[in-house]
């Protein structure tokens, strides 16, 4: 196929919901500018969606609409298949079939790639087609391209990001407006941010899918979602958000991938971040990803991480990349995970016990002489150094009588395994009256 301004790259769209609808609209609205950038036209000429009538209302007479996705994949006139159905089920089958049919594929489906990426990228390589997935991480922010291409000179040390808009929206609204969790979640769903199954958002699974992809691209390791440590925001209490604020921190759900000498940390959990960091001030459904490279230092990428057109912006960028490369020899394609497939690293993903970080602990204790000494003694036994201790006066602990108080301890860096041992010992003290709250803290300096 030759590339010229008259030529058209024909796209088949699987699923025209929130992101699919945005993709159709953006391609239509900006088609002339996109043609000037791509060197040829790009048009969605066929759509497959279970709801044919709704799809027809979106595309009018600009594209053929069918209910059967396989009819689209079998169409020899389709050059690129865009998968915007979601999930690991039918989406995987259709992506594999599209690759087998020799079609390039664009997808926003982080769940699919984080779990089945190794198989999908291998099939694409064997067939000489591109699988592009900019929209799969941080929606409209071109973080895949930045990490894979813009930062290619660097030895990447760590990547840390707010990579789930729904949870950031929930945390922001709860803190700023005092709204209840359920109310804010419903609003995120109404705005099209949340996954089909919102537990993926609030339990940290969606962020872990994205962190898995970032770790693979940053360090040249295979996608290994099953080894990620995942903790969501459902157990976070208003008291900890408040105390963190009093100590100069905000709590964000971060996805973190960090290189250590012995392997790679891959984790998602609520994290205390100093209020003065830019990333601590990323609010609402906005996303931000920090990348630390040895040459460039710290960089940060900020923008809308979800929603119809922001995500479509990334899908269309992938389509332009493919249109530019459609006639190019396959060995000129950029490797999907940044590193050549025969140069991948075998560095292991470290178990959470091996992760090194600092901690925020909150202990509900009996307000008696000697309690603090016992607790600091247990931490000292584990060689855990204390950064700060504050005690809330008994009357500041809402709803409690004067015999109890909250102790908040910030520690310096230590291995999670040591902290587990210390927490078990502290929890066994008769003066510790409730389950100890443990949150991780990152300076991101
Ligand atoms: P939606 O649920 O809005 O859209 C999915 C569409 O696919 C629906 O129209 C659905 O039809 C259709 N569909 C389901 N099964 C089939 C099938 N077998 N054949 C054809 N069509 C089918 O999802 P989103 O647009 O929100 O998400 C799409 C993908 O993008 C997901 O992987 C998601 O994780 C990802 N993503 C979403 C973002 C967002 O902000 N929403 C941001 C970044 C990524 P029906 O409704 O009738 O079931
Ligand atoms: N559910 C996801 C989020 C969509 O809230 O960030 C974007 O991937």
């Amino acid at each position: 196929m030759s590339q010229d301004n008259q030529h058209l790259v024909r796209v088949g769209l699987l699923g025209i919901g929130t992101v699919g609808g945005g993709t159709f609209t953006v391609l239509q609205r900006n088609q002339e500018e996109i043609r000037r950038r791509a060197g040829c036209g790009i048009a969605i000429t066929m759509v497959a969606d279970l709801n044919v009538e709704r799809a027809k209302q979106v595309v009018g007479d600009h594209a053929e609409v069918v209910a059967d996705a396989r009819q689209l994949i079998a169409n020899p006139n389709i050059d690129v298949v865009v998968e915007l159905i979601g999930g690991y089920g039918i989406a995987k089958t259709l992506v594999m079939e599209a690759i087998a049919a020799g079609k390039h594929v664009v997808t926003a489906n982080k769940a699919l790639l984080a779990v089945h990426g190794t198989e999908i990228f291998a099939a694409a390589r064997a067939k000489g087609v591109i699988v592009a997935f900019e929209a799969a991480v941080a929606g409209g922010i071109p973080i895949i391209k930045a990490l894979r291409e813009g930062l290619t000179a660097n030895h990447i040390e760590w990547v840390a990001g707010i990579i789930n808009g729904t949870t950031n929206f929930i945390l922001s609204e709860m803190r700023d407006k005092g709204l209840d969790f359920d109310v804010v979640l419903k609003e995120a769903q109404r705005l099209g941010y949340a996954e089909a199954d919102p537990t993926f958002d609030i339990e940290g699974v969606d962020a872990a899918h994205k962190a898995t992809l970032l770790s693979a691209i940053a360090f040249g390791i295979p996608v290994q979602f099953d080894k990620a440590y995942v903790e969501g925001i459902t157990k976070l209490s208003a008291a900890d958000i408040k105390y963190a604020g009093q100590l100069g921190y905000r709590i964000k759900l971060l996805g973190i991938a960090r290189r250590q000498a012995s392997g790679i940390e891959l984790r998602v959990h609520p994290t205390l971040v100093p209020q003065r960091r830019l990333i601590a001030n990323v609010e609402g459904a906005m996303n931000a990803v920090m990348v630390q490279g040895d040459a460039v230092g710290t960089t940060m990428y900020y923008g809308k991480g979800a929603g119809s057109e922001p995500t479509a912006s990334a899908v269309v960028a992938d389509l332009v990349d493919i249109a530019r490369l459609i006639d190019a020899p396959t060995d000129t394609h950029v490797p999907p995970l940044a590193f050549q497939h025969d140069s991948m690293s075998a560095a292991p993903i470290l178990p959470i016990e091996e992760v090194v970080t600092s901690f925020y602990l909150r202990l509900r204790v009996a307000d008696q002489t000697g309690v603090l000494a016992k607790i600091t003694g247990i931490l000292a036994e584990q060689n855990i150094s204390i950064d700060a201790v504050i005690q809330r006066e008994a009357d500041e602990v809402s709803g409690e009588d004067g015999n109890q108080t909250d102790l908040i301890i910030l520690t310096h860096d230590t291995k999670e395994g040591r902290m587990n041992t210390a927490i078990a010992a502290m929890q066994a003290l008769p003066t510790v009256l409730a389950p100890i709250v443990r949150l991780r803290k990152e300076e991101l300096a």
Side-chain angles (χ1 to χ4, degrees), residues 110 136 139 163-167 193-195 201 206 210 287 305-306:
K110 54 268 169 162
I163 45 181
N164 182 269
T166 301
T167 44
Y193 304 150
E195 293 304 302
D201 295 295
D206 176 72
K210 295 165 180 168
N287 281 195

Side-chain angles (χ1 to χ4, degrees), residues 13-21 48-51 54 66-69 83-87 90-91 94 107-112 135-139 191-196 206 210 305-308 311:
L13 181 57
L14 302 179
I16 187 156
T18 303
V19 182
D49 196 287
L50 297 179
N51 192 331
R54 191 186 55 199
V66 295
D68 180 6
E83 182 279 305
L84 295 173
I85 294 172
I90 185 69
L94 296 175
T107 179
N109 192 339
K110 54 268 169 162
L112 175 65
V137 182
L191 292 167
Y193 304 150
E195 293 304 302
D206 176 72
K210 295 165 180 168
S308 179
T311 312

Side-chain angles (χ1 to χ4, degrees), residues 14 20 110 174 339 359 381 410 421:
L14 302 179
K110 54 268 169 162
M174 285 175 72
F339 290 73
F359 289 89
E381 275 168 28
L410 299 183
T421 308

Side-chain angles (χ1 to χ4, degrees), residues 1 16 42 57 78 103 105 113 121 159 192-193 214 222 276 278 299 303 328 365 373 377 399 421-422 435:
M1 180 188 308
I16 187 156
I42 301 175
Q57 279 169 19
I78 294 295
K103 315 285 188 195
V105 171
L113 294 180
F121 295 134
V159 180
Y193 304 150
L214 291 175
R276 62 185 181 281
L278 269 181
T299 55
V365 295
T421 308

Side-chain angles (χ1 to χ4, degrees), residues 236-246 251 360 362 364 392 396-398 406 408 437 439:
L236 211 53
S237 81
D240 295 308
I241 295 173
K242 184 184 81 178
Y243 289 146
Q246 290 171 0
I251 299 181
Y360 161 105
R362 176 164 62 84
R364 174 63 56 89
R392 307 320 296 176
E396 286 187 64
V397 179
S398 59
D406 271 349
I408 294 108
V437 174
L439 294 168

Side-chain angles (χ1 to χ4, degrees), residues 88 110-119 121 205 207-217 219-230 256-257 263-268 337 344-351:
Y88 321 97
K110 54 268 169 162
L112 175 65
L113 294 180
V115 175
H116 299 291
T118 302
E119 181 185 348
F121 295 134
V205 176
H209 288 146
K210 295 165 180 168
T212 298
L213 291 170
L214 291 175
S215 70
I217 295 172
F219 307 121
I221 55 173
V223 288
Q224 296 166 80
F225 169 71
D226 56 330
K227 303 213 175 77
Y229 174 80
V230 189
I256 298 171
I264 306 292
E265 296 180 2
L266 175 56
R267 49 195 168 103
V268 170
L337 297 179
M344 299 297 276
S345 159
I349 304 292
L350 297 170

